Amino acid sequence: MTEEIRIGVFVCHCGVNIGGYVDVPSVVEYAERLPDVAYAEPNLYTCSSDGLQKIQEAIEKHGLNRVVVASCTPRTHEPLFQSACEEAGLNRYLFEMANIRDQCSWVHMREPEKATQKAKDLVRMAVAKARLLVPEEEPEIDVLPKGLVIGGGVSGLTAALSLMDQGFKVHLVEREGRLGGTLLKLDKLFPSNVKASEVIDPLVERVEESNDVTVHLDSKVSDVKGFIGNFDVVVDTPGGPEKLNVGTIIVATGAGYLSPEGLYGYGRVEGVVTQLELEQTFKEVGGLEGVETLVMIQCVGSRNEERAYCSRVCCTEAMKNAIRLLEKDPRRDVYILYRDLQTYGIEFSAMEFDAKKRGARLVMYDKDRPPEVTGEEKGPLVRVYSPLLDEELTIEADMVVLAAPIVPNVDNEALSRHLKVPLNSDGFFMEAHVKLRPVDFATDGVYVCGTAHSPKEVGESVYQAKAAASRAGIPMARGSLKAAAITSVVDEDRCCGCGTCIEMCPYNAITKNERGLAQVEPAVCKGCGVCGASCPEGAITMRHFTDEQLEAQGLAAIGEA
Amino acid sequence: MSDFEPKIIGFLCNWCSYAGADLAGVSRIQYPSNIRVIRVMCSGRVDPVMPLGFLAEGADGVMITGCHIGDCHYIDGNLYARRKFGLLRRLVEKAGLEPERVMLEWVSASEGQRFAEIVTEFTERIRGLGPVACDEETRLNLRAAKAAAEEYRLRALVGKEEKLVERGNVYGDDVTQEEFDRIMDEAVETEYTRNRIRLMLAREPMSVKELAYRMGEEPGNVLSHVASLRQRGWVALLELQGNTPIYHAMEAS
C-alpha cells in the first residue's frame, strides 16, 4: 500500500539575508502548486524555536509526511530541522533542504529576479527529491569510554585532565621526550604576568600522577582506522608500534614558530633575536643586562602574500616585554615598530596603554617599505620610515627583537591524512564550522583545540581545550550513539559477485557473504556512494542519495525554464 | 544567441565543495546564477549515467566538484570520481558534444573564492558553446551514451581502473595507462555504437545497409554489432523485405 505523499514547504526569510533579495512570498506561492505539496508557508526565521514549532504544528494539522525547508545550508542546519521533524513523529530522513541563502540570495545579490527564479528551481528540486524519500533507520554504535589526546602542551594536558575528571581513561601522545610544549620555553604569561611554569607544571604533575592518563612520550600517531566510538590507532613509540583502541580523539598538536632566517638580519647580525629567544633569556637569567636601546619589529614574515594571517599573540607579547623592560629600568629606549596594533579586548588594550605610559615608543611602518637592520660595530642599526612623520628614523640599537609568526606544525599534513580531517589553506587544522561547531571536525568523534587550530594565546587555548574535552565527553558519557543511516545496501538478486565494490570501498565495509555476493557492514560504511556509482549490475542503492532521487533533482532543475 | 542562459547542473561533494560553495555565500562572492546544485556525499558518487541523462534531457553543461586529491573525506573517493569522469568525457565526445560541457574540479572547504571563479568560468564557457542541439539525432546519441554508461563492461572497467593501473592485475602484470586507455576507448566505441543501433531500431525498424548509411559506418561493422545485439536478445528480425532482413529493437528487459 502506498500512502499519499503530502509535502510541507517552509521558506525562510532569514531576516533580510534571503528576504532582502529573493521574493519569498512568490516562492511560497510557487511551492504550493508543485506536485504533492500539501502546504507551504513563509517564516521569518525557520530555525527559531517559533519556526520549528510551526513545522511541527503543520505536520499535525496538514498531515504532512515530508518536509522541505528552503533556507540555508544543510551542513549546519539539517540536523536541527530533522530533529524537529522527529519530535513531531516524522522519520528524520523524510526531510530535505533547499539552500536558497548560501547558494542563492547571498551570491546573486545584484540579480534579485534571477535569485528568485533560482530559489523556485531549488525548491522544485528539493520537492522532487522529497517525493522519493523513504524513512531510514540509524544503527546503534557503542562508544568506548576512552579518549586519545594528541599533543602534550597546555591544550593537550588541559583536555586530557578534563576527560579524566569526567571519568574517562585517556591516552596522551607527545612527540617530544617531555610534557609541557611551548610553555616550557616561555617565562611569564600576559596579561597576568604569571610564571609559565606555574601554569604548566601543575598540569604536567597531575597528568603524570594520574592512573587514568597513560602518557606516551617520544611518540607519534602513525595510523588511524575505524570511526567514532571505536578508533584503532597505531602509535609509534620508542618501544615499537603500540595499538590503542579509543572512542574519541582530540588533536592538540600545537604549532611552531618560524625561524626568521634572512629577515631583518636574523642569523647574520649580532643582537637580532626573536621574541621567543628573548623569553628564554628572561627565563634563564631573569633580565637583560647592558641593553639600553631595544627595537621590536612586529609582523615579521607574516601578514604578507606568503603568510596572510595574523599570529594574534605578538602585539600583546611585545607590550608585555616592553612593560617588563621599562619597569626594570625606565631610562631604557624601547621601540615597537608595527604595522597595525592588534592588542584586542579589555586586558590587552590596557597593556598597550600601560606600555605607552611607561614610555614605549610605537612607530608605525609601511608594509611596502619595511625597516632595515644592518650590523654595525656598536650593534644593530635600524632604519625605519615612518609614514606618519614622513621621515626615516635611524636607531642605534643594542638589541632587535623580531615577532616571528606562529606557523603550523610540519606534521599536520600527515596527521590530517590519518584522521581524514582538513587543514585550511594556511596549514592549520580546520573546524567543522567556525561558529556552530568550533572544536569539532566534520568527522565524528575527532576534535581540535589550541594552536593546532590557529594561533592563539594560552587562555584561549585552555578554554578551547576544555570545550573539545566536553564535546568528546558527550558520546563517551552516553556510551552509544546512532550511526548515520546513509549507507549503501546491496540487492542480492542483482549482485553477480564481481567484487568491484569490494575493491573500491575506502573503508573495507563490503565483504563477500557465504553465497559469494557483496554484503555491506552498515556501522563501517560511511555512505560515500563510490560503490553504488560503479556497480556494474546497478545492484547497490545509496540510501538517501539514490539514483532515482538524484535524477529527479537534476531533471527538476532542467525541467522547467 | 546573446541572451542564451545555459542550464548547468553542479554535483558538489558535501565535505569540501559544498562547504566551499557555502563559504562563497557567506563571503558574498557573486557568481552567475545558472548553476543548480545537487549535493552528494562524495564526488565518487557521481555515476556517469546521471550527467549523460541530464545532457540528454536539456542540461547544457554539468560540473562535478570534489575534495582535492589527497583530501577526500572518504580517503580516495575522488580518485574514483576522476576515473568515472574519464568515462563520462569519452561518452560525451562520442555522442558528438564538446567534451568541455562536462568538468571535474577540486574545491576545498576554504576555497569559496575558487568555487565562485570555477562556476563563473564554466558558465561563460557553456554560454560560449551555446545550447546543446535539441534535434532528435543529438538526443538519441546522448541516450545511447547514457545506455552505454549503464553497460556492465564499461562499469567494471572503470571500477577496476584505479587499482589496475596503479597496482597491476591479479597476475602481477603491470597495465599502463596507455594500454588501459586503448582498451577503454575500444570498449566505449563498441558499447556506444551498439546502444545507438538499438535506439535507432527502436525508433524505426530498418536494414543493416540503411543503418550503416545513416551512421556513416561500414556495413560489415554494423552487421557484427547487430549479430551481437541479437545474441543478447535486444534486437530481433522483424521481417524480410525481398531478400533484405529488417531488424527491430526488443523491449528492454
Side-chain angles (χ1 to χ4, degrees), chain A residues 276-496:
Chain A
L276 192 66
E277 286 160 347
L278 178 64
E279 284 284 337
Q280 273 165 320
T281 309
F282 280 148
K283 192 175 158 76
E284 282 157 21
V285 299
L288 278 185
E289 293 308 316
V291 174
E292 300 296 321
T293 305
L294 183 139
V295 177
M296 297 181 185
I297 303 177
Q298 302 302 105
C299 295
V300 171
S302 70
R303 300 182 61 230
N304 54 17
E305 282 67 32
E306 186 199 349
R307 204 172 285 105
Y309 62 88
C310 161
S311 285
R312 198 171 169 91
V313 300
C314 339
C315 283
T316 312
E317 193 178 24
M319 297 306 157
K320 178 190 75 176
N321 287 334
I323 292 168
R324 177 171 187 161
L325 289 163
L326 291 164
E327 216 170 30
K328 187 97 178 173
D329 184 357
R331 287 165 307 171
R332 272 176 174 145
D333 286 323
V334 177
Y335 292 87
I336 301 174
L337 314 186
Y338 70 97
R339 276 169 52 199
D340 304 284
L341 270 187
Q342 319 237 32
T343 44
Y344 54 94
I346 297 168
E347 287 155 322
F348 303 164
S349 305
M351 288 175 68
E352 180 196 329
F353 287 117
D354 191 16
K356 283 179 181 164
K357 205 173 70 193
R358 289 173 190 275
R361 294 173 189 183
L362 274 67
V363 180
M364 186 199 250
Y365 74 86
D366 187 347
K367 176 179 174 256
D368 298 323
R369 200 171 157 186
E372 282 172 28
V373 179
T374 48
E376 305 295 328
E377 234 169 81
K378 283 195 269 174
L381 184 77
V382 182
R383 286 192 191 84
V384 55
Y385 166 74
S386 160
L388 296 177
L389 302 172
D390 189 24
E391 67 181 63
E392 192 175 75
L393 308 179
T394 308
I395 309 164
E396 286 180 15
D398 299 309
M399 187 178 231
V400 172
V401 184
L402 306 180
I406 295 177
V407 291
N409 263 335
V410 281
D411 305 346
N412 284 6
E413 235 176 273
L415 190 58
S416 87
R417 265 200 308 277
H418 291 316
L419 294 167
K420 287 149 208 104
V421 297
L423 301 177
N424 66 18
S425 50
D426 293 312
F428 291 99
F429 284 97
M430 194 164 90
E431 72 284 350
H433 189 285
V434 66
K435 288 188 170 65
L436 302 174
R437 295 178 67 193
V439 295
D440 299 4
F441 282 112
T443 306
D444 292 338
V446 190
Y447 312 87
V448 65
C449 60
T451 50
H453 166 263
S454 61
K456 52 177 69 73
E457 53 102 13
V458 175
E460 291 165 334
S461 289
V462 168
Y463 60 66
Q464 215 182 15
K466 294 197 170 185
S470 81
R471 290 290 293 158
I474 294 172
M476 295 201 288
R478 289 190 170 219
S480 72
L481 57 89
K482 288 193 163 178
I486 303 172
T487 56
S488 66
V489 55
V490 179
D491 178 354
E492 289 198 0
D493 292 339
R494 297 179 76 173
C495 177
C496 67

Side-chain angles (χ1 to χ4, degrees), chain B residues 2 11-12 16 25 38 41 50 61-62 85 94 109 117 122 130 134 136 148 153 159 161 185 192 198 203 207 228 233:
Chain B
S2 59
F11 284 99
L12 273 55
C16 290
I38 298 177
M41 296 314 275
M50 285 188 273
V62 178
F85 182 75
K94 272 276 168 262
E117 283 164 11
F122 188 65
C134 57
E136 216 180 309
R153 178 153 73 130
E161 179 177 359
D185 286 339
Y192 170 72
R198 185 168 65 85
R203 195 171 56 187
S207 67
S228 151

Side-chain angles (χ1 to χ4, degrees), chain A residues 525-537:
Chain A
C525 174
K526 296 297 278 181
C528 61
V530 166
C531 55
S534 275
C535 175
E537 296 287 5

